């Protein structure tokens, strides 16, 4: 299209199309220089770091509590084993006493007061008459 000359009237839009093209070209160039898929830091990485640190401290606390809670169980286990051993020894002593009573009876002696001893044992021992 040929250029139109209106004389003394200025064309306010003269060069506007070339200027718009330049602005568009600059915008495209700027857009291609940026990484549109980059995730902005919204502070979540800081939250995650704090959460990991708190979780680590919680694990340490739980481990310490577990160790402290389990410590009496070892003592109870040892006490149970000791009591079982003591009960076995009491049973062995009762069996030996019965054998002695039979031996005394066999040689003509009287029993060593087994009934009286049983009553005394039941009053003094928490595990009862053996």
């Amino acid at each position: 299209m040929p250029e139109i000359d209106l004389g003394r009237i200025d064309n306010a839009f003269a060069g506007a199309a070339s200027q718009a093209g330049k602005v568009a070209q600059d915008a495209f160039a700027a857009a291609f220089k940026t990484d549109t898929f980059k995730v902005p830091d919204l502070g979540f990485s800081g939250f995650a770091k704090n959460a990991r640190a708190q979780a680590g401290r919680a694990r340490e606390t739980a481990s310490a509590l577990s160790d402290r809670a389990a410590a009496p169980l070892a003592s109870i286990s040892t006490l149970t084993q000791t009591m079982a051993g003591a009960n076995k020894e009491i049973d062995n002593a009762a069996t030996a006493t019965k054998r002695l009573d039979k031996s005394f009876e066999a040689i003509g002696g009287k029993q060593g007061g087994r009934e009286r001893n049983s009553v005394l044992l039941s009053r003094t021992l928490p595990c009862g008459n053996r």
Side-chain angles (χ1 to χ4, degrees), residues 28-52:
F28 275 106
F32 281 110
K33 288 181 183 177
T34 61
D35 184 3
T36 56
F37 297 106
K38 182 180 177 184
V39 178
D41 184 13
L42 302 174
F44 294 128
S45 58
F47 291 140
K49 183 179 178 182
N50 289 340
R52 281 190 294 274

Side-chain angles (χ1 to χ4, degrees), residues 23-100:
V23 169
Q25 182 182 7
D26 291 345
F28 275 106
F32 281 110
K33 288 181 183 177
T34 61
D35 184 3
T36 56
F37 297 106
K38 182 180 177 184
V39 178
D41 184 13
L42 302 174
F44 294 128
S45 58
F47 291 140
K49 183 179 178 182
N50 289 340
R52 281 190 294 274
Q54 287 176 346
R57 288 191 298 272
R59 267 191 233 90
E60 290 172 7
T61 301
S63 177
L65 288 174
S66 174
D67 292 345
R68 288 181 182 158
L73 296 178
S75 298
I76 290 171
S77 175
T78 302
L79 180 61
T80 302
Q81 291 172 358
T82 303
M83 291 301 294
N87 285 336
K88 183 177 179 182
E89 291 302 319
I90 290 169
D91 289 341
N92 291 341
T95 302
T97 302
K98 287 179 186 177
R99 281 196 313 250
L100 279 173

Side-chain angles (χ1 to χ4, degrees), residues 11-30:
N11 184 357
F13 299 105
S18 62
Q19 182 64 24
K22 173 76 171 126
V23 169
Q25 182 182 7
D26 291 345
F28 275 106

